[in-house]
Amino acid sequence: MPFEDELGDAIRRTGDTFRPLDRPGLVDAGLTRGRRRLARRRTAAVTGSVLALAVVGVAGGYTTGALGSGDGRASAAAPATPTAVAGQATPGAPSAPPAGGVTKEKMIEAFKALLPEGKITREAGQGITEDVKGGKTGPYASVVFDDGQGAAAISLGVSTVDPAGQSADQYVTCPSKALVQHDTCKAETLPDGSRYMLFQGYEYPDRRVDTRLWRAVLITPKGVQVDASEWNAPAEKNAPVSRPAPPLTGPQLKTLVTDGVWQSIGAQLGEPDKETPLPGAAGTPVDKILTSLLPKGLKVLDKQGDPGYGFVVADDGKGAGFIQVNAQSGMQDLAAVFTGDVTTLPDGTKVMVKKENDPDQKGGAGAVGWTVDTLRPDGFRVVMMAFNAPGQGQDASRAEPVLTIEQMKTIVLDEKWRTTTG
């Protein structure tokens, strides 16, 4: 399969990981500024599972991951194609950069040289190439590696990202377990100023298949991004689990992505594009407003957000509940889909209420979700969804959400939400 087709397939698979939460009409209307702020920077390569801040809006999910920069540069998401080569070297001192241009063959050889001793049965890759706009597309390499304990897919890509931009922050920010279930995740700043994250989780966050995904992401002060992923199966998807865990340990993954050869290769990609904040980025983060409006007696266990979308996980002493909110402007054309249990207030604001079983369609046992959706006459919309589970796709932790419908109405109708649009 051509690389471009594999990339498109990877994007579609990632979109399937977090399914839309609303009906089709609301999904179509969900391309709002809050989600676009994050989505714009993540429309390039992705792998099956999501790191960074996974934005799953109430009006439809958009989720992104980090094998490449937002300008369409490097990807390690492409699966391997058959050959037969053996990798040998053990991670250690920085490797010498490939002489001349970085070809597919040189990228693969540099990658194999840093793997422990083992058998490599398949390999694939791409060198540095120029895109249609004259920019440079970063290289990647992937192999199927067997150290005697079972075959496993391993991939690595080199790209660039604005180190001062929000995208860089999100690539090396651990996701909340309320959005992406995982075992462990650690983010740190290294002595040279590089930011590093190690994520150890699953290819499918809902654990429908027990394929493990471990990922290491490094972003240097100059904006070189190195992103490596490994699985405990010979392919990231649609392959039986072959071993209990991926072959490289956490320290080995760190050694792999911090090797100096990748910075040398990244330097050949040129300076990263500077990231310009979108309008509205200076608004108040949704999770901050939501926290301030919660009834007394609720303990906030987790929260995250930006001016367009945010969530909290709260507990009233009877079990944790996930609550998420989208705040959006310019949504006048949504009025036609406000049907069913809809009330129109004296000022013209429409309020729609829904109660659903398995609200995020991920099969959490006993999960229910309550939605209160509001649309002001000027097109300003605030929609809240509250679950009786501590996160999306998770089993119920209580009989009903931590908020009543009346409490939800009071919160979403508060004028504080106006400050989210900047």
Side-chain angles (χ1 to χ4, degrees), residues 320-368:
F322 179 73
I323 308 165
Q324 60 180 355
V325 173
N326 266 39
Q328 312 162 342
S329 58
M331 305 300 289
Q332 291 90 334
D333 57 349
L334 246 176
V337 300
F338 271 64
T339 60
D341 185 2
V342 178
T343 301
T344 301
L345 303 182
D347 67 355
T349 297
K350 294 180 179 297
V351 181
M352 179 170 64
V353 175
K354 288 183 179 292
K355 292 185 177 183
E356 301 171 291
N357 295 321
D358 191 16
D360 56 9
Q361 303 175 43
K362 293 185 180 181
V368 300

Side-chain angles (χ1 to χ4, degrees), residues 95-114:
S95 306
V102 180
T103 64
K104 167 186 172 180
E105 292 74 19
K106 290 177 179 178
M107 181 65 184
I108 292 173
E109 288 303 316
F111 181 45
K112 294 192 308 181
L114 292 170

Side-chain angles (χ1 to χ4, degrees), residues 69-382:
S69 67
D71 56 6
R73 297 179 181 172
S75 172
T81 54
T83 67
V85 180
Q88 301 178 21
T90 301
S95 306
V102 180
T103 64
K104 167 186 172 180
E105 292 74 19
K106 290 177 179 178
M107 181 65 184
I108 292 173
E109 288 303 316
F111 181 45
K112 294 192 308 181
L114 292 170
L115 296 178
E117 184 175 353
K119 181 180 180 181
I120 293 175
T121 54
R122 288 186 288 172
E123 62 183 51
Q126 174 179 285
I128 295 177
T129 60
E130 288 195 5
D131 59 31
V132 293
K133 296 181 180 180
K136 291 184 177 180
T137 298
Y140 76 90
S142 64
V143 302
V144 174
F145 172 80
D146 191 343
D147 56 3
Q149 304 299 315
I154 310 176
S155 60
L156 181 144
V158 181
S159 59
T160 60
V161 65
D162 181 359
Q166 292 185 42
S167 292
D169 291 339
Q170 292 159 13
Y171 285 133
V172 288
T173 298
C174 288
S176 167
K177 288 188 176 181
L179 295 179
V180 181
Q181 295 189 58
H182 57 276
D183 294 329
T184 63
C185 185
K186 180 181 179 182
E188 60 179 314
T189 300
L190 305 183
D192 68 350
S194 296
R195 287 180 288 175
Y196 173 75
M197 182 186 69
L198 175 65
F199 171 91
Q200 294 177 301
Y202 301 87
E203 178 65 27
Y204 301 92
D206 60 8
R207 301 288 301 276
R208 62 184 182 272
V209 178
D210 201 33
T211 304
R212 294 179 183 268
L213 165 65
W214 292 1
R215 173 184 244 149
V217 183
L218 177 81
I219 297 178
T220 73
K222 293 184 178 180
V224 175
Q225 179 175 328
V226 186
D227 194 330
S229 296
E230 60 171 343
W231 294 263
N232 63 332
E236 60 179 293
K237 293 181 183 291
N238 302 319
V241 168
S242 56
R243 52 192 296 144
L248 302 185
T249 65
Q252 284 176 313
L253 274 175
K254 187 174 185 179
T255 297
L256 174 63
V257 299
T258 57
D259 191 277
V261 66
W262 309 125
Q263 295 188 41
S264 299
I265 290 174
Q268 298 181 48
L269 294 172
E271 293 292 325
D273 294 335
K274 296 298 180 183
E275 188 174 299
T276 302
L278 290 180
T284 306
V286 165
D287 60 314
K288 182 176 181 180
I289 296 177
L290 178 55
T291 301
S292 73
L293 295 175
L294 291 176
K296 292 182 179 180
L298 288 181
K299 181 180 180 181
V300 174
L301 306 178
D302 192 10
K303 62 178 181 176
Q304 208 166 46
D306 70 9
Y309 167 81
F311 73 86
V312 301
V313 179
D315 194 337
D316 59 1
K318 300 177 182 179
F322 179 73
I323 308 165
Q324 60 180 355
V325 173
N326 266 39
Q328 312 162 342
S329 58
M331 305 300 289
Q332 291 90 334
D333 57 349
L334 246 176
V337 300
F338 271 64
T339 60
D341 185 2
V342 178
T343 301
T344 301
L345 303 182
D347 67 355
T349 297
K350 294 180 179 297
V351 181
M352 179 170 64
V353 175
K354 288 183 179 292
K355 292 185 177 183
E356 301 171 291
N357 295 321
D358 191 16
D360 56 9
Q361 303 175 43
K362 293 185 180 181
V368 300
W370 295 350
T371 301
V372 175
D373 202 344
T374 64
L375 183 65
R376 271 72 161 182
D378 63 357
F380 184 68
R381 179 194 188 203
V382 180

Side-chain angles (χ1 to χ4, degrees), residues 384-401:
M384 170 186 284
M385 196 170 195
F387 296 76
N388 65 335
Q392 298 203 114
Q394 298 183 31
D395 294 345
S397 56
R398 49 188 297 128
E400 295 181 342

